[in-house]
């Protein structure tokens, strides 16, 4: 018997009380969690529970150059030039552990920039906009992104 490999391929399942999706990656939406849950909802009984119930994504400017120094390894010497590789690596996304002092520390520096509530209909195309006003001259070396998944009310998983 063939095995379904995704929620979109599943047919004729009985209705269920609980829908659980473990499709959270380093970045909350990278493993098509929205599409998977939206497809699987057709098997959920009215009033059924979806786990996770919500995903919140946060963003904050990185003002320390500590992480950039770890990534910027392209000065090879010997009259070799890796300008294009350096440019790509400095504009890429990385999974790194940040310290509090790496982040902008103003009252409203940490911003929630997206919320996915699985009790509602969700689109996979997302957009968000955030603006920070600098109180003093500074260099922003990147943006830190992280997420919190509310599994059920009162139980949260976070990166």
């Amino acid at each position: 018997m063939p095995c379904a490999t995704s929620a979109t391929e599943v047919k004729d399942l009985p209705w269920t009380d609980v829908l659980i999706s473990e499709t959270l990656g380093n970045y909350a939406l990278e493993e098509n969690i929205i599409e998977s849950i939206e497809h699987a909802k057709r098997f959920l009984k009215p009033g059924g529970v979806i786990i996770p119930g919500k995903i919140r994504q946060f963003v904050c400017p990185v003002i320390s150059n500590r992480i950039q120094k770890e990534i910027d390894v392209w000065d090879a010497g010997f009259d070799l030039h890796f300008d294009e590789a350096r440019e790509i690596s400095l504009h890429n996304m990385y999974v790194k552990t940040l310290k509090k002092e790496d982040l902008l520390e103003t009252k409203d520096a940490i911003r929630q920039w997206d919320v996915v509530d699985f009790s509602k209909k969700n689109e996979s195309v997302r957009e968000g906009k955030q603006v920070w006003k600098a109180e003093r001259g500074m260099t922003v070396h990147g943006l830190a992104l992280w997420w919190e998944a509310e599994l059920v009310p009162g139980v949260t998983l976070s990166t």
Side-chain angles (χ1 to χ4, degrees):
M1 170 151 101
C3 178
T5 58
S6 75
T8 60
E9 297 176 5
V10 175
K11 308 273 191 262
D12 301 324
L13 281 179
W15 285 45
T16 185
D17 295 312
V18 180
L19 165 62
I20 301 173
S21 178
E22 190 295 301
T23 47
L24 294 163
N26 291 316
Y27 306 102
L29 307 180
E30 72 179 321
E31 293 188 30
N32 299 320
I33 190 170
I34 293 174
E35 295 89 345
S36 296
I37 288 181
E38 289 301 320
H39 285 293
K41 282 181 183 179
R42 68 187 190 271
F43 301 113
L44 191 63
K45 290 180 183 176
V49 175
I50 301 171
I51 301 174
K54 291 182 184 171
I55 298 174
R56 294 176 187 88
Q57 295 188 87
F58 299 89
V59 62
C60 184
V62 176
I63 60 168
S64 163
N65 67 351
R66 182 180 67 84
I67 299 297
Q68 183 172 338
K69 285 180 180 179
E70 289 179 17
I71 297 165
D72 193 1
V73 295
W74 295 101
D75 184 16
F78 307 108
D79 202 28
L80 297 172
H81 301 282
F82 295 101
D83 297 340
E84 290 81 9
R86 180 178 187 268
E87 186 75 15
I88 290 169
S89 71
L90 292 178
H91 290 90
N92 205 342
M93 293 174 56
Y94 294 92
V95 177
K96 295 286 188 178
T97 300
L98 295 171
K99 300 175 183 176
K100 185 177 179 182
E101 57 267 20
D102 292 328
L103 303 176
L104 180 63
E105 293 189 59
T106 61
K107 183 180 86 168
D108 64 344
I110 296 173
R111 308 277 179 85
Q112 177 177 288
W113 69 280
D114 193 14
V115 177
V116 178
D117 182 344
F118 289 111
S119 69
K120 301 174 181 164
K121 173 87 171 114
N122 294 285
E123 298 296 326
S124 60
V125 175
R126 315 293 296 175
E127 68 178 60
K129 178 179 178 179
Q130 292 297 328
V131 177
W132 291 267
K133 185 174 180 177
E135 297 174 3
R136 58 180 168 76
M138 69 178 68
T139 300
V140 174
H141 296 274
L143 297 170
L145 306 171
W146 66 96
W147 54 260
E148 293 178 355
E150 180 182 89
L151 302 180
V152 293
V155 179
T156 301
L157 175 68
S158 176
T159 56

